Amino acid sequence: MKRIFIRPELCAGCKTCELSCLVEHCAGSSLWTIDLGDAGNQPRNTVLAGPKGVPLPLTCRHCPEPACVDACPAGAMVRNEATGLVEHRNERCVGCWMCVMACPFGLVWPSAREQKSIKCDFCGERDNPACVESCPTGALSLVETDPAGGVKEITID
Amino acid sequence: MKKVCPSADEILSRFIVSKDDVETAFHRLSTQQPKCGFGLQGVCCRLCSNGPCRVTPKSPRGVCGADADTMVARNFLRAVAAGAACYLHVVENAAGSLQAAAASGKEIQGAAVLAELAGALDLPGSDARERAGHLAGQVMDDLYRPRQKQMALTEKLAYAPRLARWRELGIIPGGAKSEVFDALVKTSTNQSSDPVDMMLHALRLGIATGIYGLELTNLLNDVLLGEPKIAAGPVGFSVVDPDYINIMVTGHQHALIGPVQEGLAAPRAIDLARQAGARGFKIIGCTCVGQDLQSRGDQNGVFAGHAGNNFTSEALLATGGVDLVLSEFNCTLPGIEEVCRQYMVAQICLDDVAKKQNAGYLPFDPGAGEETARRVVEAAVESYRQRRGRIGINVPEHGYENSLAGLSERNLRAFLGGNYKPLIELIASGRVKGLAAIVGCSNLTAGGHDVFTAGLTRELIARDILVLSAGCTSGGLENLGFMSPEAAGWAGEKLRQVCRELNIPPVLNFGPCLGIGRLEMVAAGIAAALQVDLPQLPLVLSAPQWLEEQALADGAFGLALGLPLHLALPPFITGSKLVTRVLTEDMEKLTGGRVIVEGEIVPAAEQLEAVIMQRRAALGI
């Protein structure tokens, strides 16, 4: 199963991951044109200031036992057993924010555009998540995990 | 296999790929991906220790309260100010050189242009030398005026209808250096947060850049060194002849290279070269100063031809055929340092604004040109002795033998028979649909090196639009054959016939980026003949592959002139809706100009053609 591996010690705090997430999720936009003045444009990841201001990049962990799935009363949060990804079924979401409150990492948010949650979708059809591809320092990388707990780095061209 | 950025110039591309041991900008481009989106949009601010601040949907203002419009306008004005400063440095050195020449009793090479200027500017003096001294002195005085005092030559050189519009807008610049200085003050921490005022300041800097940095630099150099001559000559890497001691020049200041050019043909210099085993010295043109040498012609058998534009310099050194780099300004890429080390190429820098780490610094003294030339000769001979036999030479077959160059505002008029009427008639009849000035730099990001420039030029000439080039665009286009007679075959049917009748290529070479000033004078000449203002002309401006801050200052001049200015990449403004709107829409109501950002070649050509057709319709032709 593919996972995003985070090495906070490599993060420069440039927020390129946030921008590439925005570009990926706002149809027809580019790094040049994405509207940074529109609060409705929300990235699904974030770079927070960690202890002593050290940047801390965060992306959905797609937990094996996801708190958001347990908390969701509408069946909108689902763990895909084949991929291991935690998926948000937008049409079922009732906007009760249980998932928002339950996520221990704070990586599910209320959408600014509608009464629904938003979260990382691992960039859907894309081969690799945009945040990983765009990270200039290697703080975000892609790994393959196996049930025995092994982790193998995946090289992206 | 290393990732290598493509070039429109396939021979150059193959040569770069073949040089496995040399790292160039073409290799480094891929290592600088991805780009920072905040930087691209111009919404990163590093003006204080509370920063760097960035505008995001979650944080629309910096710590100080500056919003995206303020950040973008500040960053843009700073870039324009730096670009203006570069050109003003160049004109100051040209004026200093002319002053020194006039004082020393040296012969004035451009007597005809000086006579025309003496009339237009009312220059005092009983002979050419005295008048040249006054001209240079007036430029110096103007550059150093305070910001509250208008520069004296602005009114005399600007096209009258433009001057009137600038006066209405309140954008006639004060002393040029003071305008740059106050732009830095204005954009410093917690100073101006008025984006519109900052955009108007950018226009003032554009006017100072255009009239002084561009037009007057050309005119002063024409007086000092002689006027451009329309002539065909060789271009490309093949101009490098290993039998000579080859000196590659990079920069923008012909006034600084001039004395060396003269000294390399001196009998003593040739003797030294022969003693070392060479046939003599050759100057290999590279970057804009090479275009300047090319324009003014090979006066004494020393200039070999123009080899290439900004991003060809590293590859040119990798031919092994260059013995010394003589630099005095940009575009002297830091990347040449390592290539020079690998190929044992000596470097001399004449102006510390372009100092390379491993270059010897030989400060230019306009009163001691012969001494400068002597020291360059000695260093070049020494380098030749040291490196030849130890370094392999591999000059690819590259370029064209018969590239037309040397167009200027005065000789184009003379070529047409003394006035612009024949060109106006060609435009009126539709045989030439309009004029497109394709100018400025090359970069590696708009499709690759010269890719957009060449593609757009091809599209425009195919639409019967005559292309005028000034800058690294000239270096790129001539190496692709656009200024050779056979390029007529690439033009549309009507333009092709015109080219064949007049024996000209469909792209006219006005030399270095400084030549943008010549294009403005051509445009003003045509407008005056038609008794219209510049924004009414069927003329468009494109700096498709603009690279640097100087290009933005050129662009600000183009906007002040009221010209439609196409760019393939936006100048780091898209983070501000206000600045983007001012530049791409509202500017038309102010000066008549506007920025057109279009990153695709064919749509860009279509938009530029549409502007020309609108202008033609409005003029009733």
Side-chain angles (χ1 to χ4, degrees):
Chain A
M1 291 172 179
K2 281 184 182 173
R3 285 291 181 275
I4 295 169
F5 193 79
I6 301 173
R7 291 184 178 85
E9 69 278 14
L10 296 181
C11 179
C14 71
K15 298 184 181 232
T16 299
C17 52
E18 287 190 21
L19 287 189
S20 58
C21 183
L22 278 179
V23 170
E24 184 61 27
H25 291 92
C26 301
S29 66
S30 73
L31 268 186
W32 290 101
T33 58
I34 184 78
D35 187 348
L36 296 173
D38 181 351
N41 287 339
Q42 294 167 284
R44 271 77 166 156
N45 52 19
T46 187
V47 182
L48 298 178
K52 295 184 184 167
V54 174
L56 179 63
L58 287 171
T59 67
C60 173
R61 305 286 74 217
H62 295 279
C63 308
E65 292 171 11
C68 58
V69 173
D70 288 348
C72 180
M77 286 289 183
V78 181
R79 184 166 191 270
N80 181 326
E81 295 304 326
T83 60
L85 298 178
V86 176
E87 297 170 357
H88 178 245
R89 306 277 159 85
N90 198 54
E91 70 284 1
R92 292 191 195 164
C93 180
V94 294
C96 68
W97 314 142
M98 291 300 287
C99 52
V100 174
M101 289 183 277
C103 175
F105 300 101
L107 290 167
V108 189
W109 290 286
S111 163
R113 296 204 196 281
E114 54 180 347
Q115 183 81 11
K116 308 266 187 185
S117 300
I118 57 166
K119 70 173 290 295
C120 168
D121 61 357
F122 224 73
C123 285
E125 305 288 301
R126 237 183 124 93
D127 286 346
N128 305 300
C131 55
V132 175
E133 281 189 5
S134 68
C135 177
T137 65
L140 300 183
S141 60
L142 205 59
V143 294
E144 186 77 41
T145 61
D146 61 53
V151 175
K152 202 174 102 198
E153 188 121 6
I154 300 172
T155 310
I156 301 174
D157 290 330
Chain B
M1 196 48 195
K2 292 179 202 164
K3 273 191 195 164
V4 180
C5 166
S7 170
D9 186 338
E10 286 173 25
I11 299 174
L12 174 69
S13 279
R14 280 201 295 276
F15 180 73
I16 291 170
V17 170
S18 76
K19 291 281 160 189
D20 226 16
D21 56 335
V22 179
E23 184 198 276
T24 69
F26 290 75
H27 302 94
R28 289 185 292 267
L29 182 73
S30 66
T31 69
Q32 282 297 329
Q33 306 299 330
K35 296 295 174 193
C36 169
F38 303 102
L40 288 177
Q41 294 209 9
V43 290
C44 172
C45 178
R46 291 190 308 136
L47 286 182
C48 83
S49 67
N50 288 331
C53 289
R54 290 155 296 181
V55 170
T56 74
K58 284 184 282 185
S59 55
R61 288 175 183 272
V63 174
C64 68
D67 61 10
D69 297 332
T70 292
M71 283 189 200
V72 167
R74 266 192 319 219
N75 289 338
F76 183 77
L77 178 55
R78 281 216 149 183
V80 172
C86 288
Y87 278 122
L88 295 169
H89 178 92
V90 167
V91 72
E92 184 175 355
N93 276 347
S97 295
L98 185 59
Q99 270 180 325
S104 73
K106 209 166 172 287
E107 195 190 342
I108 296 302
Q109 300 292 319
V113 63
L114 180 62
E116 188 179 324
L117 282 170
L121 306 179
D122 219 1
L123 296 174
S126 54
D127 64 8
R129 250 176 244 132
E130 254 183 64
R131 283 191 286 273
H134 275 290
L135 171 64
Q138 286 193 20
V139 173
M140 283 291 199
D141 289 348
D142 271 357
L143 294 178
Y144 280 90
R145 276 182 215 287
R147 193 161 158 231
Q148 294 74 18
K149 291 264 195 308
Q150 191 184 312
M151 295 187 284
L153 297 178
T154 308
E155 293 208 358
K156 295 178 178 174
L157 285 169
Y159 184 49
R162 279 291 94 188
L163 194 68
R165 186 69 192 125
W166 295 342
R167 196 168 283 134
E168 285 165 14
L169 292 169
I171 57 170
I172 296 181
K177 289 196 158 213
S178 308
E179 289 285 1
V180 172
F181 192 100
D182 278 2
L184 292 182
V185 176
K186 188 173 274 189
T187 55
S188 189
T189 318
N190 294 329
Q191 301 274 18
S192 173
S193 47
D194 181 344
V196 174
D197 178 73
M198 287 189 268
M199 301 313 280
L200 292 173
H201 200 136
L203 290 178
R204 271 201 293 277
L205 290 170
I207 295 168
T209 298
I211 293 182
Y212 288 81
L214 300 174
E215 290 180 17
L216 276 164
T217 302
N218 292 323
L219 293 168
L220 294 170
N221 281 338
D222 288 353
V223 171
L224 178 69
L225 302 158
E227 288 183 65
K229 294 177 191 70
I230 302 175
V235 297
F237 282 17
S238 293
V239 304
V240 177
D241 181 347
D243 291 347
Y244 288 85
I245 299 177
N246 289 313
I247 298 175
M248 165 178 155
V249 291
T250 64
H252 282 80
Q253 306 186 83
H254 195 173
L256 272 58
I257 302 291
V260 176
Q261 188 178 9
E262 205 179 311
L264 292 178
R268 185 180 166 274
I270 295 171
D271 280 349
L272 284 174
R274 288 193 177 142
Q275 283 164 28
R279 293 176 62 188
F281 291 94
K282 287 284 182 192
I283 290 180
I284 309 297
C286 190
T287 75
C288 273
V289 74
Q291 297 283 160
D292 238 337
L293 268 66
Q294 179 194 45
S295 291
R296 295 198 174 88
D298 181 20
Q299 294 156 350
N300 58 5
V302 161
F303 182 63
H306 190 66
N309 62 13
N310 52 359
F311 283 107
T312 63
S313 52
E314 291 162 309
L316 182 58
L317 289 165
T319 63
V322 173
D323 299 292
L324 182 131
V325 173
L326 187 64
S327 58
E328 34 74 12
F329 210 69
N330 71 359
C331 302
T332 307
L333 270 65
I336 70 168
E337 290 172 350
E338 179 58 18
V339 190
C340 282
R341 196 194 55 74
Q342 277 177 282
Y343 285 83
M344 297 176 67
V345 182
Q347 296 173 68
I348 289 181
C349 174
L350 296 176
D351 187 334
D352 67 355
V353 298
K355 178 76 173 61
K356 298 298 103 177
Q357 280 182 54
N358 46 358
Y361 177 41
L362 184 56
F364 178 75
D365 174 356
E370 281 179 36
E371 172 64 10
T372 304
R374 191 184 60 76
R375 292 180 62 177
V376 171
V377 162
E378 283 169 7
V381 168
E382 176 60 19
S383 174
Y384 179 89
R385 285 186 193 276
Q386 289 290 324
R387 62 188 295 282
R388 293 293 181 116
R390 295 165 72 182
I391 295 291
I393 296 180
N394 166 20
V395 181
E397 286 281 324
H398 173 251
Y400 286 77
E401 273 300 317
N402 51 1
S403 194
L404 195 77
L407 274 291
S408 78
E409 66 289 351
R410 277 169 47 85
N411 68 27
L412 175 62
R413 207 171 55 202
F415 175 81
L416 292 167
N419 60 59
Y420 287 111
K421 214 172 148 218
L423 179 58
I424 292 167
E425 279 166 9
L426 284 172
I427 295 171
S429 71
R431 297 183 69 202
V432 171
K433 197 179 280 173
L435 304 174
I438 298 198
V439 301
C441 322
S442 184
N443 62 33
L444 302 184
T445 36
H449 174 242
D450 290 334
V451 170
F452 205 108
T453 299
L456 181 63
T457 301
R458 204 173 268 273
E459 284 291 330
L460 291 174
I461 61 176
R463 292 158 203 260
D464 297 318
I465 294 165
L466 182 65
V467 170
L468 318 174
S469 169
C472 276
T473 50
S474 299
L477 291 170
E478 65 190 356
N479 279 359
L480 294 166
F482 281 96
M483 290 141 178
S484 297
E486 47 267 50
W490 308 337
E493 201 180 317
K494 290 177 185 162
L495 179 59
R496 190 185 317 152
Q497 272 186 7
V498 171
C499 288
R500 288 187 176 147
E501 279 166 30
L502 296 176
N503 198 20
I504 55 167
V507 181
L508 299 181
N509 184 348
F510 280 77
C513 55
L514 294 162
I516 297 168
R518 299 193 191 277
L519 295 178
E520 190 279 328
M521 294 166 94
V522 170
I526 296 171
L530 287 168
Q531 294 181 308
V532 298
D533 195 2
L534 295 176
Q536 291 167 268
L537 291 178
L539 163 71
V540 291
L541 182 61
S542 172
Q545 298 199 248
W546 76 273
L547 179 76
E548 44 169 41
E549 294 173 323
Q550 272 171 277
L552 298 181
D554 291 331
F557 183 44
L559 293 176
L561 292 175
L563 300 177
L565 168 64
H566 163 258
L567 308 171
L569 300 169
F572 309 130
I573 54 163
T574 49
S576 163
K577 291 185 183 72
L578 177 72
V579 172
T580 302
R581 200 187 69 223
V582 168
L583 287 175
T584 59
E585 295 171 28
D586 299 351
M587 187 63 71
E588 204 156 18
K589 286 174 235 134
L590 298 175
T591 66
R594 71 185 160 103
V595 171
I596 300 168
V597 176
E598 176 52 64
E600 296 293 329
I601 291 169
V602 173
E606 283 167 353
Q607 287 185 52
L608 295 177
E609 184 186 21
V611 172
I612 285 174
M613 295 314 289
Q614 282 162 10
R615 301 277 166 93
R616 290 183 65 94
L619 286 170
I621 54 174

Short mmCIF file of all heavy atoms in Angstrom, two decimals, chain B residues 31 49 61 94 108 223 308 325 386 403 429 467:
data_model
loop_
_atom_site.label_atom_id
_atom_site.label_comp_id
_atom_site.label_asym_id
_atom_site.label_seq_id
_atom_site.Cartn_x
_atom_site.Cartn_y
_atom_site.Cartn_z
N THR B 31 17.10 20.68 -12.47
CA THR B 31 17.40 20.51 -11.05
C THR B 31 16.77 21.62 -10.21
O THR B 31 16.82 21.57 -8.99
CB THR B 31 18.93 20.53 -10.79
OG1 THR B 31 19.42 21.85 -11.05
CG2 THR B 31 19.66 19.54 -11.69
N SER B 49 12.04 41.41 9.32
CA SER B 49 12.35 40.21 10.09
C SER B 49 11.11 39.49 10.58
O SER B 49 11.21 38.41 11.14
CB SER B 49 13.25 40.57 11.28
OG SER B 49 12.52 41.37 12.18
N ARG B 61 -2.92 38.51 4.35
CA ARG B 61 -2.05 39.67 4.59
C ARG B 61 -0.78 39.25 5.30
O ARG B 61 -0.79 38.33 6.12
CB ARG B 61 -2.77 40.71 5.47
CG ARG B 61 -3.87 41.46 4.75
CD ARG B 61 -4.60 42.38 5.71
NE ARG B 61 -5.70 43.04 5.05
CZ ARG B 61 -5.58 44.20 4.39
NH1 ARG B 61 -4.41 44.81 4.33
NH2 ARG B 61 -6.62 44.75 3.80
N ALA B 94 28.75 55.15 -21.21
CA ALA B 94 28.86 55.60 -22.60
C ALA B 94 29.13 57.10 -22.63
O ALA B 94 29.99 57.59 -23.38
CB ALA B 94 27.60 55.26 -23.39
N ILE B 108 35.88 61.91 -33.77
CA ILE B 108 34.50 61.50 -33.57
C ILE B 108 34.07 60.67 -34.78
O ILE B 108 34.14 61.11 -35.92
CB ILE B 108 33.60 62.75 -33.43
CG1 ILE B 108 33.99 63.56 -32.18
CG2 ILE B 108 32.13 62.38 -33.41
CD1 ILE B 108 33.90 62.81 -30.87
N VAL B 223 27.92 58.11 -31.92
CA VAL B 223 28.81 59.27 -32.07
C VAL B 223 30.26 58.84 -31.79
O VAL B 223 31.18 59.17 -32.55
CB VAL B 223 28.39 60.41 -31.11
CG1 VAL B 223 29.43 61.53 -31.11
CG2 VAL B 223 27.02 60.96 -31.50
N GLY B 308 26.45 33.89 -30.58
CA GLY B 308 25.20 33.45 -29.96
C GLY B 308 24.76 34.33 -28.82
O GLY B 308 25.48 35.25 -28.42
N VAL B 325 37.90 35.48 -21.97
CA VAL B 325 36.57 36.11 -21.91
C VAL B 325 36.76 37.53 -21.41
O VAL B 325 37.38 37.76 -20.36
CB VAL B 325 35.62 35.35 -20.97
CG1 VAL B 325 34.32 36.11 -20.79
CG2 VAL B 325 35.33 33.96 -21.50
N GLN B 386 49.39 29.13 -22.75
CA GLN B 386 49.17 28.16 -21.68
C GLN B 386 48.26 27.01 -22.09
O GLN B 386 48.49 25.87 -21.73
CB GLN B 386 48.53 28.86 -20.46
CG GLN B 386 49.45 29.80 -19.70
CD GLN B 386 50.53 29.03 -18.94
OE1 GLN B 386 50.29 27.94 -18.43
NE2 GLN B 386 51.73 29.61 -18.90
N SER B 403 24.12 36.49 -42.69
CA SER B 403 23.03 37.02 -41.87
C SER B 403 23.06 38.54 -41.92
O SER B 403 24.09 39.16 -41.65
CB SER B 403 23.20 36.51 -40.44
OG SER B 403 22.03 36.73 -39.71
N SER B 429 -0.80 49.23 -48.34
CA SER B 429 -1.29 48.34 -49.41
C SER B 429 -1.58 46.94 -48.89
O SER B 429 -2.17 46.13 -49.59
CB SER B 429 -0.25 48.27 -50.53
OG SER B 429 0.87 47.53 -50.07
N VAL B 467 9.00 41.41 -39.02
CA VAL B 467 9.50 41.33 -37.65
C VAL B 467 10.79 42.14 -37.52
O VAL B 467 11.68 42.05 -38.36
CB VAL B 467 9.71 39.86 -37.22
CG1 VAL B 467 10.47 39.78 -35.90
CG2 VAL B 467 8.38 39.14 -37.11
#
